[in-house]
Amino acid sequence: MCQNGFFEPLIERISRRIKQESGTKKQRIRILDAGCGEGSLLSGIREKVSPHTANGLLSVGVDISKEGILAASKAYSDSIWCVADLAKCPFANQQFDFILNTLSPSNYSEFNRMLANDGTVIKVIPEKNYLKEVREVFYGHTPRREYSNEGTVKHFADHFDLLDMEHVRYRVALDRALIGHLVRMTPLSWGATEERLQKMLDMDSAKITVELTILIGKTFA
C-alpha cells in the first residue's frame, strides 16, 4: 500500500515537520521508526529529509514482526532494521532526535528513555473517518463502525508535552488488487465476518478516506 502511494501525503507532512524541527542542527539526525512494519514509510521519509541535512541521517526501524523486518531489510538498504519488542528496545539512552510511531502500539517509557535532549516524538493516530468506507462494509450500523481517539490523545499528553496536532485528510482511489492489499493490511478486518470481507474483496474499485492526526510531543522539562 505504501509503495503505491497510499500514505504519500502523510509521508510528505511528517518529512516537512522533521525538516522544520531539525532547523540548523549540525550533527547527524537520528530517527527511530518504532513499529516500522515493512519499512516503506521510514524509507519514504528518509528520501525526503536526507538531502536537507548537513551531516547525514541515521534511520533505524524496529518491529516485533520478523517477516516485516526481513521485507524491510531486503527492500531498503539505507536504514538499520531490527526485530525487537517496543517494551525492551535494544538501544542506549537518549539516542534519537526523532521517534516515529505510526498507527501502531507505543511504549512511552521506552520512548522517553531513548529520546535525546530536545528530541521529538511524532505519533500518527486514526481520526473518526479513517477508512470509513471499509468500516461501513465490515460493520454496517454496529458500534464498531464508530471510532474516537480522545483516549489516545490524552494518554500521549500524559507522557509528553503535546506541542501540536496536525490534521491530514485525503481520499485514495483503489483498484481491485489494492483493495485486497488494504483488507489484508488493516486490523479492521480481524472482527469482520467472512461474508463482509468477501463483499469488500469483490469490489472492482473504491475511493477510500484517509483521515489522520499527527501528534507532536517532547519530553517534559
Side-chain angles (χ1 to χ4, degrees), residues 10 13-15 17-18 21 32-33 45 98-102 111 115 120-124 156 214-217:
L10 174 66
R13 188 73 67 88
I14 293 174
S15 301
R17 187 74 192 214
I18 290 174
E21 293 283 330
L32 173 67
D33 187 353
I45 291 170
F98 296 92
I99 296 179
L100 313 179
N101 184 238
T102 304
F111 290 3
L115 200 63
T120 304
V121 175
I122 301 176
K123 181 173 177 63
V124 180
F156 184 89
I214 305 171
L215 307 178
I216 310 294

mmCIF file with all atom_site columns, all heavy atoms in Angstrom, residues 10 13-15 17-18 21 32-33 45 98-102 111 115 120-124 156 214-217:
data_model
loop_
_atom_site.group_PDB
_atom_site.id
_atom_site.type_symbol
_atom_site.label_atom_id
_atom_site.label_alt_id
_atom_site.label_comp_id
_atom_site.label_asym_id
_atom_site.label_entity_id
_atom_site.label_seq_id
_atom_site.pdbx_PDB_ins_code
_atom_site.Cartn_x
_atom_site.Cartn_y
_atom_site.Cartn_z
_atom_site.occupancy
_atom_site.B_iso_or_equiv
_atom_site.pdbx_formal_charge
_atom_site.auth_seq_id
_atom_site.auth_comp_id
_atom_site.auth_asym_id
_atom_site.auth_atom_id
_atom_site.pdbx_PDB_model_num
ATOM 1   N N   . LEU A 1 10  ? 0.823  11.727 3.938  1.00 0.00 ? 10  LEU A N   1
ATOM 2   C CA  . LEU A 1 10  ? 1.286  11.630 5.321  1.00 0.00 ? 10  LEU A CA  1
ATOM 3   C C   . LEU A 1 10  ? 2.809  11.690 5.381  1.00 0.00 ? 10  LEU A C   1
ATOM 4   O O   . LEU A 1 10  ? 3.379  12.402 6.219  1.00 0.00 ? 10  LEU A O   1
ATOM 5   C CB  . LEU A 1 10  ? 0.783  10.337 5.949  1.00 0.00 ? 10  LEU A CB  1
ATOM 6   C CG  . LEU A 1 10  ? 1.308  10.027 7.362  1.00 0.00 ? 10  LEU A CG  1
ATOM 7   C CD1 . LEU A 1 10  ? 0.792  11.060 8.362  1.00 0.00 ? 10  LEU A CD1 1
ATOM 8   C CD2 . LEU A 1 10  ? 0.919  8.616  7.789  1.00 0.00 ? 10  LEU A CD2 1
ATOM 9   N N   . ARG A 1 13  ? 3.946  15.228 4.925  1.00 0.00 ? 13  ARG A N   1
ATOM 10  C CA  . ARG A 1 13  ? 3.698  16.074 6.094  1.00 0.00 ? 13  ARG A CA  1
ATOM 11  C C   . ARG A 1 13  ? 4.707  15.786 7.215  1.00 0.00 ? 13  ARG A C   1
ATOM 12  O O   . ARG A 1 13  ? 5.238  16.705 7.835  1.00 0.00 ? 13  ARG A O   1
ATOM 13  C CB  . ARG A 1 13  ? 2.271  15.864 6.592  1.00 0.00 ? 13  ARG A CB  1
ATOM 14  C CG  . ARG A 1 13  ? 1.839  16.836 7.679  1.00 0.00 ? 13  ARG A CG  1
ATOM 15  C CD  . ARG A 1 13  ? 1.594  18.236 7.124  1.00 0.00 ? 13  ARG A CD  1
ATOM 16  N NE  . ARG A 1 13  ? 0.451  18.234 6.244  1.00 0.00 ? 13  ARG A NE  1
ATOM 17  C CZ  . ARG A 1 13  ? -0.824 18.424 6.653  1.00 0.00 ? 13  ARG A CZ  1
ATOM 18  N NH1 . ARG A 1 13  ? -1.079 18.615 7.943  1.00 0.00 ? 13  ARG A NH1 1
ATOM 19  N NH2 . ARG A 1 13  ? -1.806 18.441 5.779  1.00 0.00 ? 13  ARG A NH2 1
ATOM 20  N N   . ILE A 1 14  ? 4.965  14.515 7.486  1.00 0.00 ? 14  ILE A N   1
ATOM 21  C CA  . ILE A 1 14  ? 5.929  14.161 8.529  1.00 0.00 ? 14  ILE A CA  1
ATOM 22  C C   . ILE A 1 14  ? 7.328  14.639 8.146  1.00 0.00 ? 14  ILE A C   1
ATOM 23  O O   . ILE A 1 14  ? 8.063  15.188 8.981  1.00 0.00 ? 14  ILE A O   1
ATOM 24  C CB  . ILE A 1 14  ? 5.932  12.642 8.784  1.00 0.00 ? 14  ILE A CB  1
ATOM 25  C CG1 . ILE A 1 14  ? 4.605  12.193 9.393  1.00 0.00 ? 14  ILE A CG1 1
ATOM 26  C CG2 . ILE A 1 14  ? 7.083  12.253 9.709  1.00 0.00 ? 14  ILE A CG2 1
ATOM 27  C CD1 . ILE A 1 14  ? 4.469  10.689 9.540  1.00 0.00 ? 14  ILE A CD1 1
ATOM 28  N N   . SER A 1 15  ? 7.701  14.454 6.892  1.00 0.00 ? 15  SER A N   1
ATOM 29  C CA  . SER A 1 15  ? 9.024  14.880 6.428  1.00 0.00 ? 15  SER A CA  1
ATOM 30  C C   . SER A 1 15  ? 9.196  16.384 6.581  1.00 0.00 ? 15  SER A C   1
ATOM 31  O O   . SER A 1 15  ? 10.258 16.864 7.018  1.00 0.00 ? 15  SER A O   1
ATOM 32  C CB  . SER A 1 15  ? 9.220  14.476 4.960  1.00 0.00 ? 15  SER A CB  1
ATOM 33  O OG  . SER A 1 15  ? 9.101  13.083 4.789  1.00 0.00 ? 15  SER A OG  1
ATOM 34  N N   . ARG A 1 17  ? 7.733  18.266 8.738  1.00 0.00 ? 17  ARG A N   1
ATOM 35  C CA  . ARG A 1 17  ? 7.848  18.574 10.163 1.00 0.00 ? 17  ARG A CA  1
ATOM 36  C C   . ARG A 1 17  ? 9.252  18.266 10.675 1.00 0.00 ? 17  ARG A C   1
ATOM 37  O O   . ARG A 1 17  ? 9.821  19.044 11.458 1.00 0.00 ? 17  ARG A O   1
ATOM 38  C CB  . ARG A 1 17  ? 6.802  17.780 10.952 1.00 0.00 ? 17  ARG A CB  1
ATOM 39  C CG  . ARG A 1 17  ? 6.737  18.173 12.424 1.00 0.00 ? 17  ARG A CG  1
ATOM 40  C CD  . ARG A 1 17  ? 6.062  19.511 12.573 1.00 0.00 ? 17  ARG A CD  1
ATOM 41  N NE  . ARG A 1 17  ? 6.216  20.066 13.898 1.00 0.00 ? 17  ARG A NE  1
ATOM 42  C CZ  . ARG A 1 17  ? 5.288  20.804 14.493 1.00 0.00 ? 17  ARG A CZ  1
ATOM 43  N NH1 . ARG A 1 17  ? 4.150  21.062 13.889 1.00 0.00 ? 17  ARG A NH1 1
ATOM 44  N NH2 . ARG A 1 17  ? 5.498  21.308 15.693 1.00 0.00 ? 17  ARG A NH2 1
ATOM 45  N N   . ILE A 1 18  ? 9.819  17.154 10.255 1.00 0.00 ? 18  ILE A N   1
ATOM 46  C CA  . ILE A 1 18  ? 11.168 16.801 10.686 1.00 0.00 ? 18  ILE A CA  1
ATOM 47  C C   . ILE A 1 18  ? 12.173 17.849 10.207 1.00 0.00 ? 18  ILE A C   1
ATOM 48  O O   . ILE A 1 18  ? 13.067 18.270 10.948 1.00 0.00 ? 18  ILE A O   1
ATOM 49  C CB  . ILE A 1 18  ? 11.548 15.396 10.184 1.00 0.00 ? 18  ILE A CB  1
ATOM 50  C CG1 . ILE A 1 18  ? 10.731 14.338 10.934 1.00 0.00 ? 18  ILE A CG1 1
ATOM 51  C CG2 . ILE A 1 18  ? 13.049 15.130 10.370 1.00 0.00 ? 18  ILE A CG2 1
ATOM 52  C CD1 . ILE A 1 18  ? 10.930 12.931 10.423 1.00 0.00 ? 18  ILE A CD1 1
ATOM 53  N N   . GLU A 1 21  ? 11.739 20.891 12.438 1.00 0.00 ? 21  GLU A N   1
ATOM 54  C CA  . GLU A 1 21  ? 12.246 20.675 13.785 1.00 0.00 ? 21  GLU A CA  1
ATOM 55  C C   . GLU A 1 21  ? 13.775 20.576 13.808 1.00 0.00 ? 21  GLU A C   1
ATOM 56  O O   . GLU A 1 21  ? 14.416 20.962 14.782 1.00 0.00 ? 21  GLU A O   1
ATOM 57  C CB  . GLU A 1 21  ? 11.652 19.390 14.374 1.00 0.00 ? 21  GLU A CB  1
ATOM 58  C CG  . GLU A 1 21  ? 10.160 19.437 14.631 1.00 0.00 ? 21  GLU A CG  1
ATOM 59  C CD  . GLU A 1 21  ? 9.804  20.217 15.881 1.00 0.00 ? 21  GLU A CD  1
ATOM 60  O OE1 . GLU A 1 21  ? 10.614 20.243 16.822 1.00 0.00 ? 21  GLU A OE1 1
ATOM 61  O OE2 . GLU A 1 21  ? 8.708  20.809 15.903 1.00 0.00 ? 21  GLU A OE2 1
ATOM 62  N N   . LEU A 1 32  ? 14.240 7.076  14.731 1.00 0.00 ? 32  LEU A N   1
ATOM 63  C CA  . LEU A 1 32  ? 13.777 5.717  15.016 1.00 0.00 ? 32  LEU A CA  1
ATOM 64  C C   . LEU A 1 32  ? 12.314 5.606  14.623 1.00 0.00 ? 32  LEU A C   1
ATOM 65  O O   . LEU A 1 32  ? 11.483 6.412  15.052 1.00 0.00 ? 32  LEU A O   1
ATOM 66  C CB  . LEU A 1 32  ? 13.927 5.396  16.505 1.00 0.00 ? 32  LEU A CB  1
ATOM 67  C CG  . LEU A 1 32  ? 13.320 4.057  16.960 1.00 0.00 ? 32  LEU A CG  1
ATOM 68  C CD1 . LEU A 1 32  ? 14.082 2.884  16.361 1.00 0.00 ? 32  LEU A CD1 1
ATOM 69  C CD2 . LEU A 1 32  ? 13.280 3.950  18.487 1.00 0.00 ? 32  LEU A CD2 1
ATOM 70  N N   . ASP A 1 33  ? 11.993 4.610  13.802 1.00 0.00 ? 33  ASP A N   1
ATOM 71  C CA  . ASP A 1 33  ? 10.598 4.292  13.483 1.00 0.00 ? 33  ASP A CA  1
ATOM 72  C C   . ASP A 1 33  ? 10.201 3.102  14.347 1.00 0.00 ? 33  ASP A C   1
ATOM 73  O O   . ASP A 1 33  ? 10.618 1.968  14.089 1.00 0.00 ? 33  ASP A O   1
ATOM 74  C CB  . ASP A 1 33  ? 10.442 3.973  12.000 1.00 0.00 ? 33  ASP A CB  1
ATOM 75  C CG  . ASP A 1 33  ? 8.980  3.804  11.587 1.00 0.00 ? 33  ASP A CG  1
ATOM 76  O OD1 . ASP A 1 33  ? 8.099  3.809  12.473 1.00 0.00 ? 33  ASP A OD1 1
ATOM 77  O OD2 . ASP A 1 33  ? 8.726  3.668  10.383 1.00 0.00 ? 33  ASP A OD2 1
ATOM 78  N N   . ILE A 1 45  ? 10.254 8.727  4.153  1.00 0.00 ? 45  ILE A N   1
ATOM 79  C CA  . ILE A 1 45  ? 10.622 9.917  4.943  1.00 0.00 ? 45  ILE A CA  1
ATOM 80  C C   . ILE A 1 45  ? 12.119 10.197 4.789  1.00 0.00 ? 45  ILE A C   1
ATOM 81  O O   . ILE A 1 45  ? 12.524 11.346 4.594  1.00 0.00 ? 45  ILE A O   1
ATOM 82  C CB  . ILE A 1 45  ? 10.240 9.714  6.413  1.00 0.00 ? 45  ILE A CB  1
ATOM 83  C CG1 . ILE A 1 45  ? 8.710  9.710  6.556  1.00 0.00 ? 45  ILE A CG1 1
ATOM 84  C CG2 . ILE A 1 45  ? 10.855 10.797 7.301  1.00 0.00 ? 45  ILE A CG2 1
ATOM 85  C CD1 . ILE A 1 45  ? 8.207  9.287  7.908  1.00 0.00 ? 45  ILE A CD1 1
ATOM 86  N N   . PHE A 1 98  ? 14.413 11.960 16.740 1.00 0.00 ? 98  PHE A N   1
ATOM 87  C CA  . PHE A 1 98  ? 13.003 11.789 16.399 1.00 0.00 ? 98  PHE A CA  1
ATOM 88  C C   . PHE A 1 98  ? 12.614 10.325 16.600 1.00 0.00 ? 98  PHE A C   1
ATOM 89  O O   . PHE A 1 98  ? 13.345 9.421  16.185 1.00 0.00 ? 98  PHE A O   1
ATOM 90  C CB  . PHE A 1 98  ? 12.736 12.170 14.936 1.00 0.00 ? 98  PHE A CB  1
ATOM 91  C CG  . PHE A 1 98  ? 12.994 13.611 14.623 1.00 0.00 ? 98  PHE A CG  1
ATOM 92  C CD1 . PHE A 1 98  ? 14.235 14.015 14.160 1.00 0.00 ? 98  PHE A CD1 1
ATOM 93  C CD2 . PHE A 1 98  ? 11.999 14.565 14.800 1.00 0.00 ? 98  PHE A CD2 1
ATOM 94  C CE1 . PHE A 1 98  ? 14.488 15.346 13.875 1.00 0.00 ? 98  PHE A CE1 1
ATOM 95  C CE2 . PHE A 1 98  ? 12.247 15.904 14.523 1.00 0.00 ? 98  PHE A CE2 1
ATOM 96  C CZ  . PHE A 1 98  ? 13.492 16.290 14.059 1.00 0.00 ? 98  PHE A CZ  1
ATOM 97  N N   . ILE A 1 99  ? 11.479 10.116 17.225 1.00 0.00 ? 99  ILE A N   1
ATOM 98  C CA  . ILE A 1 99  ? 10.885 8.782  17.313 1.00 0.00 ? 99  ILE A CA  1
ATOM 99  C C   . ILE A 1 99  ? 9.531  8.846  16.628 1.00 0.00 ? 99  ILE A C   1
ATOM 100 O O   . ILE A 1 99  ? 8.658  9.629  17.013 1.00 0.00 ? 99  ILE A O   1
ATOM 101 C CB  . ILE A 1 99  ? 10.741 8.306  18.766 1.00 0.00 ? 99  ILE A CB  1
ATOM 102 C CG1 . ILE A 1 99  ? 12.121 8.149  19.405 1.00 0.00 ? 99  ILE A CG1 1
ATOM 103 C CG2 . ILE A 1 99  ? 9.977  6.981  18.824 1.00 0.00 ? 99  ILE A CG2 1
ATOM 104 C CD1 . ILE A 1 99  ? 12.095 7.696  20.857 1.00 0.00 ? 99  ILE A CD1 1
ATOM 105 N N   . LEU A 1 100 ? 9.363  8.043  15.584 1.00 0.00 ? 100 LEU A N   1
ATOM 106 C CA  . LEU A 1 100 ? 8.110  7.966  14.837 1.00 0.00 ? 100 LEU A CA  1
ATOM 107 C C   . LEU A 1 100 ? 7.309  6.763  15.317 1.00 0.00 ? 100 LEU A C   1
ATOM 108 O O   . LEU A 1 100 ? 7.869  5.705  15.606 1.00 0.00 ? 100 LEU A O   1
ATOM 109 C CB  . LEU A 1 100 ? 8.381  7.808  13.338 1.00 0.00 ? 100 LEU A CB  1
ATOM 110 C CG  . LEU A 1 100 ? 9.406  8.735  12.695 1.00 0.00 ? 100 LEU A CG  1
ATOM 111 C CD1 . LEU A 1 100 ? 9.545  8.392  11.207 1.00 0.00 ? 100 LEU A CD1 1
ATOM 112 C CD2 . LEU A 1 100 ? 8.999  10.182 12.881 1.00 0.00 ? 100 LEU A CD2 1
ATOM 113 N N   . ASN A 1 101 ? 5.999  6.923  15.375 1.00 0.00 ? 101 ASN A N   1
ATOM 114 C CA  . ASN A 1 101 ? 5.127  5.828  15.795 1.00 0.00 ? 101 ASN A CA  1
ATOM 115 C C   . ASN A 1 101 ? 3.814  5.994  15.033 1.00 0.00 ? 101 ASN A C   1
ATOM 116 O O   . ASN A 1 101 ? 3.001  6.844  15.364 1.00 0.00 ? 101 ASN A O   1
ATOM 117 C CB  . ASN A 1 101 ? 4.917  5.874  17.300 1.00 0.00 ? 101 ASN A CB  1
ATOM 118 C CG  . ASN A 1 101 ? 4.110  4.710  17.828 1.00 0.00 ? 101 ASN A CG  1
ATOM 119 O OD1 . ASN A 1 101 ? 3.070  4.905  18.445 1.00 0.00 ? 101 ASN A OD1 1
ATOM 120 N ND2 . ASN A 1 101 ? 4.543  3.488  17.591 1.00 0.00 ? 101 ASN A ND2 1
ATOM 121 N N   . THR A 1 102 ? 3.644  5.200  13.981 1.00 0.00 ? 102 THR A N   1
ATOM 122 C CA  . THR A 1 102 ? 2.554  5.402  13.031 1.00 0.00 ? 102 THR A CA  1
ATOM 123 C C   . THR A 1 102 ? 1.560  4.255  13.063 1.00 0.00 ? 102 THR A C   1
ATOM 124 O O   . THR A 1 102 ? 1.899  3.120  12.700 1.00 0.00 ? 102 THR A O   1
ATOM 125 C CB  . THR A 1 102 ? 3.119  5.546  11.602 1.00 0.00 ? 102 THR A CB  1
ATOM 126 O OG1 . THR A 1 102 ? 4.079  6.612  11.578 1.00 0.00 ? 102 THR A OG1 1
ATOM 127 C CG2 . THR A 1 102 ? 2.007  5.865  10.616 1.00 0.00 ? 102 THR A CG2 1
ATOM 128 N N   . PHE A 1 111 ? 10.145 5.268  24.912 1.00 0.00 ? 111 PHE A N   1
ATOM 129 C CA  . PHE A 1 111 ? 10.339 6.436  24.048 1.00 0.00 ? 111 PHE A CA  1
ATOM 130 C C   . PHE A 1 111 ? 11.046 7.548  24.825 1.00 0.00 ? 111 PHE A C   1
ATOM 131 O O   . PHE A 1 111 ? 11.974 8.178  24.323 1.00 0.00 ? 111 PHE A O   1
ATOM 132 C CB  . PHE A 1 111 ? 9.002  6.944  23.521 1.00 0.00 ? 111 PHE A CB  1
ATOM 133 C CG  . PHE A 1 111 ? 8.335  6.041  22.506 1.00 0.00 ? 111 PHE A CG  1
ATOM 134 C CD1 . PHE A 1 111 ? 8.884  4.820  22.158 1.00 0.00 ? 111 PHE A CD1 1
ATOM 135 C CD2 . PHE A 1 111 ? 7.150  6.428  21.903 1.00 0.00 ? 111 PHE A CD2 1
ATOM 136 C CE1 . PHE A 1 111 ? 8.261  3.989  21.225 1.00 0.00 ? 111 PHE A CE1 1
ATOM 137 C CE2 . PHE A 1 111 ? 6.527  5.616  20.971 1.00 0.00 ? 111 PHE A CE2 1
ATOM 138 C CZ  . PHE A 1 111 ? 7.078  4.392  20.634 1.00 0.00 ? 111 PHE A CZ  1
ATOM 139 N N   . LEU A 1 115 ? 14.790 9.039  23.790 1.00 0.00 ? 115 LEU A N   1
ATOM 140 C CA  . LEU A 1 115 ? 14.725 10.343 23.139 1.00 0.00 ? 115 LEU A CA  1
ATOM 141 C C   . LEU A 1 115 ? 15.854 11.252 23.622 1.00 0.00 ? 115 LEU A C   1
ATOM 142 O O   . LEU A 1 115 ? 16.078 11.412 24.821 1.00 0.00 ? 115 LEU A O   1
ATOM 143 C CB  . LEU A 1 115 ? 13.366 10.988 23.425 1.00 0.00 ? 115 LEU A CB  1
ATOM 144 C CG  . LEU A 1 115 ? 12.902 12.106 22.490 1.00 0.00 ? 115 LEU A CG  1
ATOM 145 C CD1 . LEU A 1 115 ? 12.728 11.581 21.066 1.00 0.00 ? 115 LEU A CD1 1
ATOM 146 C CD2 . LEU A 1 115 ? 11.592 12.697 22.993 1.00 0.00 ? 115 LEU A CD2 1
ATOM 147 N N   . THR A 1 120 ? 12.051 14.839 19.583 1.00 0.00 ? 120 THR A N   1
ATOM 148 C CA  . THR A 1 120 ? 10.629 14.967 19.243 1.00 0.00 ? 120 THR A CA  1
ATOM 149 C C   . THR A 1 120 ? 10.011 13.602 18.988 1.00 0.00 ? 120 THR A C   1
ATOM 150 O O   . THR A 1 120 ? 10.586 12.781 18.265 1.00 0.00 ? 120 THR A O   1
ATOM 151 C CB  . THR A 1 120 ? 10.447 15.840 17.986 1.00 0.00 ? 120 THR A CB  1
ATOM 152 O OG1 . THR A 1 120 ? 11.060 17.115 18.192 1.00 0.00 ? 120 THR A OG1 1
ATOM 153 C CG2 . THR A 1 120 ? 8.969  16.044 17.680 1.00 0.00 ? 120 THR A CG2 1
ATOM 154 N N   . VAL A 1 121 ? 8.852  13.362 19.590 1.00 0.00 ? 121 VAL A N   1
ATOM 155 C CA  . VAL A 1 121 ? 8.053  12.177 19.282 1.00 0.00 ? 121 VAL A CA  1
ATOM 156 C C   . VAL A 1 121 ? 6.962  12.574 18.294 1.00 0.00 ? 121 VAL A C   1
ATOM 157 O O   . VAL A 1 121 ? 6.255  13.564 18.508 1.00 0.00 ? 121 VAL A O   1
ATOM 158 C CB  . VAL A 1 121 ? 7.409  11.580 20.547 1.00 0.00 ? 121 VAL A CB  1
ATOM 159 C CG1 . VAL A 1 121 ? 6.495  10.420 20.186 1.00 0.00 ? 121 VAL A CG1 1
ATOM 160 C CG2 . VAL A 1 121 ? 8.479  11.106 21.515 1.00 0.00 ? 121 VAL A CG2 1
ATOM 161 N N   . ILE A 1 122 ? 6.834  11.822 17.212 1.00 0.00 ? 122 ILE A N   1
ATOM 162 C CA  . ILE A 1 122 ? 5.802  12.057 16.204 1.00 0.00 ? 122 ILE A CA  1
ATOM 163 C C   . ILE A 1 122 ? 4.942  10.808 16.130 1.00 0.00 ? 122 ILE A C   1
ATOM 164 O O   . ILE A 1 122 ? 5.378  9.763  15.648 1.00 0.00 ? 122 ILE A O   1
ATOM 165 C CB  . ILE A 1 122 ? 6.425  12.369 14.831 1.00 0.00 ? 122 ILE A CB  1
ATOM 166 C CG1 . ILE A 1 122 ? 7.323  13.615 14.919 1.00 0.00 ? 122 ILE A CG1 1
ATOM 167 C CG2 . ILE A 1 122 ? 5.331  12.562 13.781 1.00 0.00 ? 122 ILE A CG2 1
ATOM 168 C CD1 . ILE A 1 122 ? 8.055  13.937 13.624 1.00 0.00 ? 122 ILE A CD1 1
ATOM 169 N N   . LYS A 1 123 ? 3.724  10.911 16.637 1.00 0.00 ? 123 LYS A N   1
ATOM 170 C CA  . LYS A 1 123 ? 2.816  9.762  16.669 1.00 0.00 ? 123 LYS A CA  1
ATOM 171 C C   . LYS A 1 123 ? 1.623  10.030 15.757 1.00 0.00 ? 123 LYS A C   1
ATOM 172 O O   . LYS A 1 123 ? 0.995  11.092 15.837 1.00 0.00 ? 123 LYS A O   1
ATOM 173 C CB  . LYS A 1 123 ? 2.324  9.477  18.086 1.00 0.00 ? 123 LYS A CB  1
ATOM 174 C CG  . LYS A 1 123 ? 1.387  8.261  18.160 1.00 0.00 ? 123 LYS A CG  1
ATOM 175 C CD  . LYS A 1 123 ? 1.045  7.890  19.586 1.00 0.00 ? 123 LYS A CD  1
ATOM 176 C CE  . LYS A 1 123 ? 0.058  6.728  19.639 1.00 0.00 ? 123 LYS A CE  1
ATOM 177 N NZ  . LYS A 1 123 ? 0.610  5.466  19.058 1.00 0.00 ? 123 LYS A NZ  1
ATOM 178 N N   . VAL A 1 124 ? 1.314  9.072  14.905 1.00 0.00 ? 124 VAL A N   1
ATOM 179 C CA  . VAL A 1 124 ? 0.190  9.192  13.975 1.00 0.00 ? 124 VAL A CA  1
ATOM 180 C C   . VAL A 1 124 ? -0.940 8.278  14.428 1.00 0.00 ? 124 VAL A C   1
ATOM 181 O O   . VAL A 1 124 ? -0.730 7.082  14.636 1.00 0.00 ? 124 VAL A O   1
ATOM 182 C CB  . VAL A 1 124 ? 0.614  8.828  12.541 1.00 0.00 ? 124 VAL A CB  1
ATOM 183 C CG1 . VAL A 1 124 ? -0.568 8.957  11.588 1.00 0.00 ? 124 VAL A CG1 1
ATOM 184 C CG2 . VAL A 1 124 ? 1.770  9.721  12.079 1.00 0.00 ? 124 VAL A CG2 1
ATOM 185 N N   . PHE A 1 156 ? -1.212 10.196 25.330 1.00 0.00 ? 156 PHE A N   1
ATOM 186 C CA  . PHE A 1 156 ? 0.011  10.800 24.804 1.00 0.00 ? 156 PHE A CA  1
ATOM 187 C C   . PHE A 1 156 ? 0.369  12.046 25.606 1.00 0.00 ? 156 PHE A C   1
ATOM 188 O O   . PHE A 1 156 ? 1.525  12.235 26.011 1.00 0.00 ? 156 PHE A O   1
ATOM 189 C CB  . PHE A 1 156 ? -0.192 11.155 23.326 1.00 0.00 ? 156 PHE A CB  1
ATOM 190 C CG  . PHE A 1 156 ? 1.038  11.699 22.647 1.00 0.00 ? 156 PHE A CG  1
ATOM 191 C CD1 . PHE A 1 156 ? 1.943  10.855 22.033 1.00 0.00 ? 156 PHE A CD1 1
ATOM 192 C CD2 . PHE A 1 156 ? 1.279  13.066 22.603 1.00 0.00 ? 156 PHE A CD2 1
ATOM 193 C CE1 . PHE A 1 156 ? 3.072  11.348 21.394 1.00 0.00 ? 156 PHE A CE1 1
ATOM 194 C CE2 . PHE A 1 156 ? 2.399  13.583 21.970 1.00 0.00 ? 156 PHE A CE2 1
ATOM 195 C CZ  . PHE A 1 156 ? 3.305  12.717 21.361 1.00 0.00 ? 156 PHE A CZ  1
ATOM 196 N N   . ILE A 1 214 ? -1.561 13.874 13.477 1.00 0.00 ? 214 ILE A N   1
ATOM 197 C CA  . ILE A 1 214 ? -0.160 13.740 13.841 1.00 0.00 ? 214 ILE A CA  1
ATOM 198 C C   . ILE A 1 214 ? 0.059  14.480 15.156 1.00 0.00 ? 214 ILE A C   1
ATOM 199 O O   . ILE A 1 214 ? -0.144 15.694 15.239 1.00 0.00 ? 214 ILE A O   1
ATOM 200 C CB  . ILE A 1 214 ? 0.765  14.327 12.762 1.00 0.00 ? 214 ILE A CB  1
ATOM 201 C CG1 . ILE A 1 214 ? 0.466  13.698 11.389 1.00 0.00 ? 214 ILE A CG1 1
ATOM 202 C CG2 . ILE A 1 214 ? 2.225  14.117 13.132 1.00 0.00 ? 214 ILE A CG2 1
ATOM 203 C CD1 . ILE A 1 214 ? 1.184  14.381 10.235 1.00 0.00 ? 214 ILE A CD1 1
ATOM 204 N N   . LEU A 1 215 ? 0.447  13.753 16.188 1.00 0.00 ? 215 LEU A N   1
ATOM 205 C CA  . LEU A 1 215 ? 0.742  14.342 17.489 1.00 0.00 ? 215 LEU A CA  1
ATOM 206 C C   . LEU A 1 215 ? 2.235  14.630 17.578 1.00 0.00 ? 215 LEU A C   1
ATOM 207 O O   . LEU A 1 215 ? 3.067  13.764 17.290 1.00 0.00 ? 215 LEU A O   1
ATOM 208 C CB  . LEU A 1 215 ? 0.339  13.382 18.618 1.00 0.00 ? 215 LEU A CB  1
ATOM 209 C CG  . LEU A 1 215 ? -1.098 12.857 18.599 1.00 0.00 ? 215 LEU A CG  1
ATOM 210 C CD1 . LEU A 1 215 ? -1.311 11.880 19.749 1.00 0.00 ? 215 LEU A CD1 1
ATOM 211 C CD2 . LEU A 1 215 ? -2.099 13.992 18.673 1.00 0.00 ? 215 LEU A CD2 1
ATOM 212 N N   . ILE A 1 216 ? 2.575  15.854 17.965 1.00 0.00 ? 216 ILE A N   1
ATOM 213 C CA  . ILE A 1 216 ? 3.969  16.277 18.092 1.00 0.00 ? 216 ILE A CA  1
ATOM 214 C C   . ILE A 1 216 ? 4.253  16.527 19.565 1.00 0.00 ? 216 ILE A C   1
ATOM 215 O O   . ILE A 1 216 ? 3.608  17.376 20.197 1.00 0.00 ? 216 ILE A O   1
ATOM 216 C CB  . ILE A 1 216 ? 4.262  17.561 17.301 1.00 0.00 ? 216 ILE A CB  1
ATOM 217 C CG1 . ILE A 1 216 ? 3.751  17.429 15.856 1.00 0.00 ? 216 ILE A CG1 1
ATOM 218 C CG2 . ILE A 1 216 ? 5.742  17.901 17.358 1.00 0.00 ? 216 ILE A CG2 1
ATOM 219 C CD1 . ILE A 1 216 ? 4.463  16.396 15.028 1.00 0.00 ? 216 ILE A CD1 1
ATOM 220 N N   . GLY A 1 217 ? 5.212  15.803 20.137 1.00 0.00 ? 217 GLY A N   1
ATOM 221 C CA  . GLY A 1 217 ? 5.491  15.960 21.562 1.00 0.00 ? 217 GLY A CA  1
ATOM 222 C C   . GLY A 1 217 ? 6.971  15.953 21.889 1.00 0.00 ? 217 GLY A C   1
ATOM 223 O O   . GLY A 1 217 ? 7.796  15.467 21.115 1.00 0.00 ? 217 GLY A O   1
#
